[in-house]
């Protein structure tokens, strides 16, 4: 977290500033798409977004830890500790884990509903118990806590030009779309962890059982039945993106480049999966550096235009052009 961002956000306590920096580091290391998109927000809003995603990443890392000696019992104990720290931070303003301290501060500053964090923790605990979902409706029940609530947490930070409740269904859908994209991209890695997020009825409709997924994963072979199931899951995911899309125009204009960039880059993951022949059981599909740079450059131009309008609201006969080479402004994470 830069000094400028923390100063703009009004974070003065030194321990709290360090906590926000910890969240930023987590996002920079683990979430390139989110981290890049956050760079497009006004500086005073960035710390809050890092806190929200930093906490989500922290909990997710506990659940998915592959460190030697880490079993489900230890994961449950760590999640229980995190839950206690969360309760203390939200209700008693007590310290402890820096990531929780930053989250609690953000929740207070933006009046974020505490139930959203509790629903998220419930979903994290279920990941230690549930390894398959019979139907898409069952999966949606899980994703309410693991993904939809993230979109809802973000809304008070991003701001809206409509009543917030009007934008909430679209924000929740966008969180779900992002997670469905991750599920498709990470089928093989999740299978190694003993989890299958593709609904069992969708797989069964194409004659796919878990044993066939393991066979493909272990042998490196593809199967037409698996490919058909993956294509259907991709189509389902794209439909959720379409449900989320109207919400982009409901956001505060200064927040739209950030979320539009995340929307475009995550959608590009689906394109990369298709181009790679749906080989998600064998390798992770990657969005090209050129595509990431192209999307980010367009977003930088939009940000520059918004800032120009805010500085000079009156129309002029000779509008100022965008920066000659906006790609030179790109963060290192893009290039």
């Amino acid at each position: 977290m830069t000094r400028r961002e923390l100063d703009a956000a009004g974070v003065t306590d030194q321990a709290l500033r360090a906590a926000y920096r910890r969240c930023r580091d987590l996002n920079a290391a683990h979430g390139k798409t989110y981290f890049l998109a956050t760079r497009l927000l006004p500086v005073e809003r960035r710390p809050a977004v890092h806190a929200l995603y930093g906490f989500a990443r922290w909990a997710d890392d506990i659940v998915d830890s592959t460190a030697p000696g880490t079993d489900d019992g230890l994961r449950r104990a760590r999640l229980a500790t995190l839950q206690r720290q969360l309760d203390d931070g939200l209700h008693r303003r007590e310290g402890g884990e820096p990531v929780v301290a930053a989250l609690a501060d953000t929740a207070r500053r933006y009046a974020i509903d505490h139930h959203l964090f509790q629903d998220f923790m419930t979903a994290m605990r279920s990941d230690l118990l549930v390894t398959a979902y019979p139907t898409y409706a069952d999966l949606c029940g899980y994703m309410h806590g693991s993904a939809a609530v993230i979109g809802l947490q973000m809304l008070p930070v991003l701001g809206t030009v409509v009543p917030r409740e009007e934008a909430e269904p679209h924000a929740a859908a966008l969180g779900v779309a992002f997670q469905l994209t991750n599920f498709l991209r990470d089928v093989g890695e999740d299978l190694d962890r003993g989890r299958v997020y593709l609904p069992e009825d969708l797989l069964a409709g194409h004659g796919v059982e878990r044993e066939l997924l393991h066979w493909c994963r272990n042998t490196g072979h593809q199967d037409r039945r698996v490919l058909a199931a993956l294509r259907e899951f991709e189509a389902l995911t794209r439909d959720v993106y379409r449900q989320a899309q109207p919400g982009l125009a409901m956001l505060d204009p200064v927040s739209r480049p950030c979320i539009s960039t995340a929307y475009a880059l995550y959608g590009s993951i689906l394109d990369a999966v298709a181009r790679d022949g749906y080989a998600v059981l064998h390798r992770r599909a990657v969005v090209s550096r050129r595509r990431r740079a192209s999307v980010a450059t367009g977003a930088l131009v939009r940000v520059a235009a918004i800032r120009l309008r805010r500085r000079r609201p009156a129309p002029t006969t000779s509008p100022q052009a965008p920066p000659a080479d906006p790609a030179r402004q790109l963060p290192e994470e893009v290039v």
Side-chain angles (χ1 to χ4, degrees):
M1 193 72 60
T2 67
R3 178 181 298 178
R4 175 169 168 257
E5 290 170 344
L6 292 169
D7 289 346
V11 180
T12 57
D13 179 81
Q14 291 303 312
L16 199 53
R17 288 169 74 92
Y20 275 105
R21 290 191 187 98
R22 171 61 175 149
C23 292
R24 184 184 188 275
D25 291 343
L26 284 170
N27 290 337
H30 297 290
K32 288 186 176 181
T33 297
Y34 290 133
F35 184 73
L36 166 60
T38 302
R39 295 286 294 273
L40 301 170
L41 281 173
V43 290
E44 70 274 6
R45 303 191 196 189
R46 296 176 196 170
V49 175
H50 286 310
L52 293 174
Y53 279 113
F55 176 80
R57 171 57 59 184
W58 186 257
D60 195 58
D61 283 350
I62 291 174
V63 172
D64 289 340
S65 174
T66 58
T70 304
D71 57 17
D72 282 350
L74 182 57
R75 294 186 185 94
R76 281 192 291 271
R78 289 177 175 171
L79 280 180
T81 297
L82 183 59
Q83 180 70 68
R84 288 192 296 271
Q85 292 170 334
L86 176 65
D87 292 340
D88 288 343
L90 291 177
H91 301 295
R92 291 189 283 276
R93 302 194 179 195
E94 295 181 359
E97 169 56 47
V99 173
V100 175
L103 176 83
D105 183 67
T106 291
R108 286 191 290 271
R109 288 172 184 267
Y110 289 93
I112 300 173
D113 187 346
H114 291 182
H115 287 99
L116 299 175
F117 303 115
Q118 302 302 344
D119 289 350
F120 173 77
M121 291 299 295
T122 297
M124 292 300 97
R125 287 191 292 270
S126 77
D127 259 333
L128 301 182
L129 302 171
V130 181
T131 61
Y133 295 88
T135 67
Y136 181 63
D138 295 315
L139 182 62
C140 284
Y142 164 75
M143 289 191 297
H144 164 74
S146 63
V149 299
I150 304 298
L152 297 174
Q153 291 168 19
M154 285 280 289
L155 267 189
V157 180
L158 298 173
T160 61
V161 295
V162 299
R164 190 181 300 169
E165 58 269 20
E166 185 177 339
E168 284 177 346
H170 304 290
L174 189 58
V176 169
F178 289 167
Q179 184 159 68
L180 289 171
T181 302
N182 286 341
F183 288 161
L184 180 60
R185 181 194 63 191
D186 300 338
V187 170
E189 296 173 21
D190 288 330
L191 190 64
D192 291 344
R193 299 185 181 105
R195 303 185 202 131
V196 176
Y197 289 105
L198 277 64
E200 290 178 327
D201 60 348
L202 183 153
L203 294 172
H206 298 279
V208 177
E209 296 182 349
R210 186 179 288 227
E211 290 74 15
L212 179 58
L213 297 178
H214 278 293
W215 180 82
C216 292
R217 176 72 167 167
N218 294 333
T219 64
H221 288 89
Q222 290 189 324
D223 184 281
R224 60 177 179 79
R225 293 166 293 178
V226 173
L227 292 177
L230 294 174
R231 289 191 187 98
E232 182 180 345
F233 193 79
E234 178 202 1
L236 181 156
T237 302
R238 290 189 185 277
D239 184 60
V240 180
Y241 275 98
R242 286 189 286 271
Q243 296 170 33
Q245 195 276 335
L248 299 177
M250 299 179 184
L251 297 174
D252 184 336
V254 299
S255 298
R256 290 174 197 168
C258 165
I259 304 305
S260 296
T261 295
Y263 182 98
L265 288 177
Y266 255 83
S268 295
I269 295 174
L270 296 179
D271 298 334
V273 167
R275 281 196 304 272
D276 199 33
Y278 301 91
V280 291
L281 280 163
H282 315 305
R283 55 186 173 268
R284 172 180 282 207
V286 178
V287 177
S288 71
R289 292 159 65 92
R290 176 176 296 180
R291 170 61 176 163
R292 291 173 62 84
S294 174
V295 171
T297 298
L300 283 168
V301 171
R302 293 194 298 275
V303 168
I306 290 170
R307 290 174 180 170
L308 178 62
R309 287 196 299 270
R310 287 166 70 89
R311 287 197 301 267
R312 298 181 180 179
T316 64
T317 57
S318 179
Q320 180 176 326
D325 186 9
R328 295 183 63 184
Q329 303 179 38
L330 295 177
E332 291 181 2
E333 293 76 10
V334 185
V335 297

